[in-house]
């Protein structure tokens, strides 16, 4: 059902994801935009590459400002002139349809994700593909059990009773912009909640992984009764469409997942019109190993966590904090585990780690590792680029200065920085010594001690002894420069709602 064919002669294809210019009349475009209920193409396309091989996967329509403007116009019209925002039962029906359609097409989504994102097959059975689809079902079920009115009772004012209540309304037209690392999960963290709230949406996929996001457009257009204009999905290699989505007067809410520097720019751009903005940004999370933990288990957990999707996860624990007198012992065990992480062809079900997204990203990672060594960190294992494709060996850096670049800046690669600490207070201080506050964890034989440490660390999520918090019903987001607001859970629905207070004079 989801077409992944592509082709065409005379295509100017450049390496590393550069734009390819094509004539839509002579070249079959792999995916289509969804604008105002219609699947459409553009005169220009851009290429998407397989990060495991560097080979072409297909072409995505390269939307410009004109297409972005049309998508915003359609979303505004659908919100202002249809009953989408008020018809709860119809929204439930459409979310049910979307969930079924996604499940029916899950294997095609899986193969496309492996090819375009470089996600290992094993990961697509979790947070890359299968798990995110359950978010749609969660919001359909939540709608069935949600009251949109809260009665506040009567109050007397100047001798007369007044009855008050609060109604939850859809916030309006949403601009949703997602990153490349988990394209389906990020889209599902935004789109179902916005639709459940009664909003209309313009969704823009990441230029590195446009085909996965545009596949959602085909599923929505062909298998649901979602009205024209309620969901619009575009792809673009250009900056201008995204900028328009953050500044356009017809956009009421902007939700973005990506880097903190880009998030700051989006927040600044939206400030002029005071749009509601919520952001899921970077992280530099710390995993604390206490002296009473099982070090072998801790080493396995730390090594395999940082290698999950080649380290391309904002909530991964990229700093490993260990007792100073146990530093060398734990480092040796982690290094042993890292050397046994199977990496390679992501289509192989036995492979745990795939490539990073692009040569540009791999060069950034390698540069940070080289600078870390120059700054005094010890390269224990890894630190090497592997061809073909854009692979980077699982990398362990020991004796890392907690104030150094590698301990402070997001790498987005399979690089773990080990930092020694003296006691619990020192561990908490180092964990909090970050502009980020997305996640964290602790490993200890004393659960209550671990929970107490977690309460002292300023992050939006925290794991005790490997506990998994990631689920459709759990709000996800961060403190400090890791973002504003929450996705998923009831809190995720509320991000797309406005509160309106009513009062009426009671006359009898």
């Amino acid at each position: 059902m989801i077409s992944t064919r592509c082709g065409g002669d005379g295509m100017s294809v450049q390496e590393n994801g550069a734009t390819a210019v094509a004539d839509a009349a002579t070249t079959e475009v792999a995916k289509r935009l969804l604008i105002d209920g219609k699947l459409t193409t553009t005169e220009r396309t851009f290429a998407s590459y397989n990060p495991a091989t560097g080979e072409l996967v297909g072409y995505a329509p390269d939307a410009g400002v004109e297409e972005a403007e049309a998508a915003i116009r359609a979303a505004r019209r659908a919100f202002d002139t249809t009953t989408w925002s008020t018809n709860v039962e119809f929204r439930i029906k459409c979310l049910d349809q979307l969930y079924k359609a996604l499940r029916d097409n899950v294997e095609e989504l899986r193969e496309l994700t492996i090819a375009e994102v470089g996600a290992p097959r094993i990961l697509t059975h979790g947070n890359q593909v299968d798990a995110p689809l359950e978010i749609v079902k969660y919001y359909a079920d939540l709608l069935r059990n949600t009251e949109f009115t809260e009665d506040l009772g009567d109050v007397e004012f100047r001798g007369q009773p007044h009855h008050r209540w609060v109604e939850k309304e859809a916030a309006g037209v949403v601009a949703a912009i997602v990153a490349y690392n988990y394209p389906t999960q990020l889209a599902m963290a935004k789109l179902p909640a916005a639709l459940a709230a009664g909003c209309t949406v313009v969704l823009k996929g990441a230029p590195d992984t446009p085909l996965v996001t545009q596949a959602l457009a085909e599923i929505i257009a062909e298998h649901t009764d979602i009205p024209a204009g309620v969901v619009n999905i575009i792809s673009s290699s250009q900056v201008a469409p995204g900028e328009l989505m953050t500044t356009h007067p017809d956009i009421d809410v902007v939700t973005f997942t990506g880097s903190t520097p880009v998030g700051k720019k989006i927040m600044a751009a939206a400030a002029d019109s005071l749009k509601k903005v919520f952001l899921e940004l970077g992280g530099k999370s710390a995993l604390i190993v206490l002296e009473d933990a099982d070090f072998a288990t801790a080493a396995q957990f730390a090594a395999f966590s940082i290698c999950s999707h080649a380290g391309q996860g904002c909530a991964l624990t990229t700093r490993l904090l260990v007792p100073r007198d146990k530093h060398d012992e734990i480092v040796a065990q982690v290094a042993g585990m890292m050397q046994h992480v199977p990496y390679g062809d992501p289509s192989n079900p036995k492979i745990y780690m795939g490539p990073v997204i692009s040569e540009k990203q791999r060069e950034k990672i390698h540069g940070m590792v080289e600078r870390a060594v120059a700054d005094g960190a010890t390269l224990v294992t890894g630190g090497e680029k592997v061809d073909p494709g854009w692979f980077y060996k699982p990398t362990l850096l020991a004796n890392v200065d907690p104030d150094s670049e590698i301990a402070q800046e997001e790498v987005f690669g399979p690089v773990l920085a080990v930092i020694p600490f003296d006691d619990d207070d020192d561990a908490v201080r180092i964990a909090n010594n970050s502009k980020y506050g997305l996640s964290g964890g602790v490993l200890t034989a004393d659960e209550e001690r671990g929970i107490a440490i977690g309460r002292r660390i300023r992050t939006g999520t925290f794991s005790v002894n490997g506990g998994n918090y990631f689920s459709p019903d759990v709000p996800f987001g961060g403190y400090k420069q890791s973002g504003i607001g929450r996705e998923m859970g009831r809190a995720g629905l509320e991000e797309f709602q406005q509160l309106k207070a009513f009062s009426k004079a009671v006359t009898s």
Side-chain angles (χ1 to χ4, degrees):
M1 186 60 68
I2 301 174
S3 169
T4 57
R5 291 184 59 219
C6 60
D9 297 325
M11 182 70 66
S12 174
V13 181
Q14 300 178 32
E15 293 181 354
N16 303 330
T19 299
V21 181
D23 184 339
T26 59
T27 303
E28 182 183 7
V29 179
K31 295 296 168 202
R32 292 169 286 177
L33 307 175
L34 175 59
I35 299 177
D36 205 8
K38 298 183 179 64
L39 292 168
T40 184
T41 61
T42 56
E43 291 185 358
R44 292 175 61 89
T45 65
F46 66 106
S48 181
Y49 296 93
N50 185 329
T53 63
E55 297 174 350
L56 181 70
V57 176
Y59 295 102
D62 199 4
V65 169
E66 182 179 347
E67 287 83 9
E69 177 80 49
I72 294 169
R73 236 182 1 253
R76 184 81 260 170
R77 177 198 55 75
F79 186 81
D80 291 341
T81 66
T82 75
T83 62
W84 177 258
S85 66
T86 57
N87 192 336
V88 176
E89 291 303 317
F90 183 56
R91 298 205 300 272
I92 292 171
K93 173 187 174 183
C94 289
L95 285 170
D96 287 340
Q97 290 175 336
L98 177 57
Y99 176 68
K100 182 180 184 303
L102 289 167
R103 295 303 317 173
D104 288 346
N105 286 274
V106 69
E107 294 308 318
E108 292 149 297
L109 277 174
R110 189 184 320 285
E111 297 306 319
L112 184 56
T113 299
I114 292 167
E116 185 179 47
V117 185
R121 184 173 299 279
I122 190 173
L123 194 59
T124 68
H125 290 282
N127 288 344
Q128 274 288 1
V129 178
D130 286 0
L133 306 192
E134 299 306 309
I135 301 174
V136 184
K137 183 177 186 299
Y138 168 78
Y139 279 110
D141 291 342
L142 184 63
L143 271 190
R144 293 182 173 94
N145 299 285
T146 294
E147 295 292 335
F148 287 85
T149 300
E150 180 185 4
D151 193 296
L152 300 180
D154 293 349
V155 67
E156 188 172 304
F157 179 69
R158 293 181 179 175
Q160 183 175 12
H162 297 259
H163 188 74
R164 298 89 34 80
W165 71 99
V166 174
E167 295 184 3
K168 297 178 181 179
E169 298 183 345
V173 179
V174 174
I177 303 172
V178 301
Y180 65 77
N181 55 333
Y182 285 81
T184 298
Q185 193 280 323
L186 298 176
M188 292 301 100
K190 300 178 188 302
L191 185 61
L195 296 180
C199 295
T200 58
V201 182
V202 179
L203 173 65
K204 179 181 176 294
D208 289 298
T209 53
L211 302 177
V212 172
T213 305
Q214 291 307 134
L216 301 177
E218 296 180 357
I219 290 171
I220 289 169
E222 295 173 353
H223 299 288
T224 77
D225 293 326
I226 294 174
V230 168
V231 178
N232 307 270
I233 302 180
I234 65 172
S235 56
S236 181
S237 69
Q238 307 166 54
V239 174
E243 290 180 338
L244 181 69
M245 290 169 64
T246 64
T247 59
H248 198 286
D250 283 341
I251 295 291
D252 301 298
V253 179
V254 179
T255 172
F256 167 77
T257 298
S259 72
T260 293
V262 175
K264 290 178 180 180
K265 291 179 181 179
I266 287 174
M267 194 169 182
D272 186 60
S273 53
L274 291 179
K275 300 183 190 306
K276 183 175 184 180
V277 176
F278 65 103
L279 308 167
E280 200 271 283
L281 305 176
K284 195 68 185 178
S285 303
L287 174 62
I288 301 170
V289 180
L290 298 182
E291 80 286 344
D292 62 355
D294 181 287
F295 293 164
T297 300
Q300 182 179 36
F301 187 84
F304 279 80
S305 292
I306 194 61
C307 294
S308 177
H309 195 27
Q312 298 170 112
C314 53
L316 294 177
T317 46
T318 57
R319 294 181 293 160
L320 180 63
L321 278 53
V322 302
R324 192 173 300 277
D325 62 348
K326 303 295 183 182
H327 174 276
D328 293 351
E329 177 184 349
I330 295 174
V331 164
Q333 292 192 54
V334 175
M337 289 291 179
M338 274 193 168
Q339 290 164 3
H340 289 92
V341 172
Y343 66 90
D345 178 5
S347 67
N348 183 339
K350 296 181 180 179
I351 289 297
Y352 182 79
M353 190 184 95
V356 297
I357 192 64
S358 66
E359 178 62 22
K360 178 181 178 182
Q361 178 61 18
R362 185 169 71 167
E363 287 299 321
K364 176 202 167 189
I365 294 165
H366 192 57
M368 292 186 74
V369 171
E370 289 184 323
R371 290 193 298 275
V373 173
D375 287 343
T378 303
L379 178 60
V380 181
T381 187
E384 299 176 48
K385 296 179 280 188
V386 180
D387 297 321
W390 302 310
F391 290 90
Y392 199 77
K393 277 191 176 182
T395 299
L396 182 64
L397 295 165
N399 293 300
V400 171
D401 181 343
D403 294 320
S404 65
E405 178 195 43
I406 202 71
Q408 291 292 322
E409 299 300 329
E410 192 170 41
V411 180
F412 236 55
V415 179
L416 183 63
V418 184
I419 304 171
F421 66 83
D422 295 319
D423 54 25
D424 287 10
D425 289 343
D426 194 37
V428 170
R429 179 189 63 79
I430 294 170
N432 284 332
N433 176 29
S434 173
K435 64 186 175 185
Y436 299 110
L438 189 55
S439 193
V442 65
L443 299 174
T444 175
D446 186 342
E447 184 178 278
E448 289 306 313
R449 180 185 176 195
I451 293 171
I453 284 176
R455 287 178 175 144
R456 297 173 63 190
I457 295 174
R458 293 186 55 76
T459 60
T461 56
F462 196 82
S463 170
V464 178
N465 290 331
N468 178 34
Y469 53 77
F470 203 81
S471 177
D473 60 339
V474 176
F476 180 80
Y479 291 20
K480 298 186 280 186
Q481 293 188 33
S482 285
I484 298 171
R486 295 293 183 269
E487 293 185 329
M488 300 191 297
R490 186 175 292 275
L493 176 69
E494 292 170 350
E495 293 287 358
F496 295 106
Q497 294 178 318
Q498 290 281 18
L499 300 180
K500 180 178 288 185
F502 283 88
S503 178
K504 66 178 181 179
V506 180
T507 58
S508 59

